[in-house]
């Protein structure tokens, strides 16, 4: 089953690569991309000053893996150097915590590995995904993907798996998913087509609010976190 599924997903990946072309390179993140392995590696053993942290950075502190969600600097008065206010999200528990640091305080950047896995199936509580080249399959609680997983997850969806020292830390949905509209309410005459929204159902049976011009059979893009309509695929 795994290899047959892998072959089908590999064809889908190839089609997407041909259709989308090369992705633009972003120099804002210190990643090294390894072709075919789908691996993104953060630098190991690096420390940085608190005032140089950026939102999205992942640090290791007291055995916890924390992602910076907010970062602000308050200028000090007279001889005071000011302080840095940081808000973190614990990657293991999802909990939030805050910390006030001196600008020169050192924090350790965590060494995390990010890999892409293809979603295969779930039984309602446990999801199974597969690595596209090694065919390794792993299982994890479907709830780890967030409250909208059951609404928008589809076969072959590419998920991001973060691991630390060989252990999975988190798995996340892509920001957007393309789905087929299976049912759509009729538009109300006299209403502005641009401003009117109506109810629709997509292939996963999830209900979505869509603009009046969207009809059954259309392909649309939905934001997986908010559940909001993004655009119609032409």
């Amino acid at each position: 089953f795994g290899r047959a599924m892998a072959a089908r997903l590999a064809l889908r990946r190839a089609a997407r690569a041909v259709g989308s072309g090369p992705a633009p390179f972003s120099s804002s993140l210190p990643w090294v991309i390894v072709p075919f392995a789908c691996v993104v590696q953060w630098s190991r053993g690096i420390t940085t000053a608190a005032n140089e942290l950026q939102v999205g950075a992942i640090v290791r502190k007291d055995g916890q893996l924390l992602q910076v969600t907010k970062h602000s600097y308050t200028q000090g008065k007279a001889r005071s150097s000011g302080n840095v206010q940081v808000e973190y999200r614990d990657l293991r528990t999802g909990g939030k915590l805050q910390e006030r640091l001196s600008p020169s305080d050192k924090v350790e950047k965590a060494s995390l590995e990010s890999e892409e896995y293809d979603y295969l199936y779930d039984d309602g509580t446990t999801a199974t995904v597969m690595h596209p080249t090694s065919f390794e399959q792993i299982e994890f609680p479907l709830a780890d993907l967030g409250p909208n997983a059951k609404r928008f997850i589809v076969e072959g969806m590419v998920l991001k798996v973060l691991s630390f020292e060989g252990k999975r830390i988190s798995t996340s949905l892509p920001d957007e998913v393309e789905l087929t509209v299976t049912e759509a309410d009729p538009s109300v005459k006299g209403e502005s087509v641009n401003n009117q929204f109506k109810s629709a159902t997509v292939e996963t049976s999830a209900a979505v609010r869509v603009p009046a011009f969207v009809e059954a059979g259309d392909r649309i893009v939905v934001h997986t976190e908010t559940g909001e309509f993004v655009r119609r695929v032409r």
Side-chain angles (χ1 to χ4, degrees), residues 7-217:
R8 185 160 75 247
L9 296 181
L11 288 174
R12 291 185 182 177
R13 280 177 169 266
R16 285 199 298 265
V18 171
S20 60
F25 177 78
S26 172
S27 61
S28 60
L29 294 175
W31 295 349
V32 176
I33 302 178
V34 181
F36 306 113
C38 305
V39 175
V40 179
Q41 184 84 29
W42 275 267
S43 299
R44 294 181 178 273
I46 294 178
T47 60
T48 186
N51 64 341
E52 295 179 353
L53 282 175
Q54 297 180 352
V55 172
I58 300 173
V59 302
R60 185 180 186 183
K61 187 176 181 64
D62 299 328
Q64 297 173 294
L65 291 174
L66 308 173
Q67 184 172 38
V68 179
T69 55
K70 293 182 180 179
H71 181 275
S72 62
Y73 172 71
T74 301
Q75 182 69 43
K77 296 181 180 179
R79 296 183 179 180
S80 174
S81 60
N83 61 78
V84 177
Q85 189 72 26
V86 185
E87 182 176 292
Y88 303 103
R89 179 176 68 87
D90 191 313
L91 290 178
R92 289 193 175 98
T93 67
K96 294 183 178 181
L97 62 139
Q98 296 182 341
E99 182 178 39
R100 180 175 293 180
L101 301 167
S102 168
S104 60
D105 285 346
K106 298 295 183 180
V107 294
E108 179 187 356
K109 287 187 176 181
S111 174
L112 294 184
E113 187 177 82
S114 175
E115 294 188 272
E116 291 182 345
Y117 277 72
D118 293 318
Y119 167 79
L120 296 181
Y121 57 86
D122 68 82
D123 61 7
T125 57
T126 301
T128 301
V129 297
M130 180 175 63
H131 194 278
T133 57
S134 70
F135 308 125
E136 174 198 16
Q137 294 185 21
I138 60 174
E139 297 180 344
F140 58 88
L142 184 61
D144 286 1
L145 293 173
N148 281 336
K150 292 183 179 180
R151 297 183 63 202
F152 301 126
I153 197 166
V154 292
E155 180 187 299
M157 175 180 280
V158 179
L159 307 181
K160 183 171 73 172
V161 177
L162 284 180
S163 58
F164 178 69
E165 295 181 345
K167 296 182 179 180
R168 186 185 68 88
I169 300 301
S170 67
T171 308
S172 58
L173 297 172
D175 292 336
E176 297 179 350
V177 59
E178 185 177 315
L179 300 166
T180 299
V181 177
T182 55
E183 297 179 23
D185 287 351
S187 301
V188 179
K189 293 183 179 180
E191 295 283 347
S192 170
V193 173
N194 292 327
N195 296 328
Q196 178 189 350
F197 275 71
K198 61 184 182 182
S199 295
T201 303
V202 294
E203 61 187 273
T204 59
S205 299
V208 180
R209 298 289 293 174
V210 299
F213 58 78
V214 173
E215 302 294 343

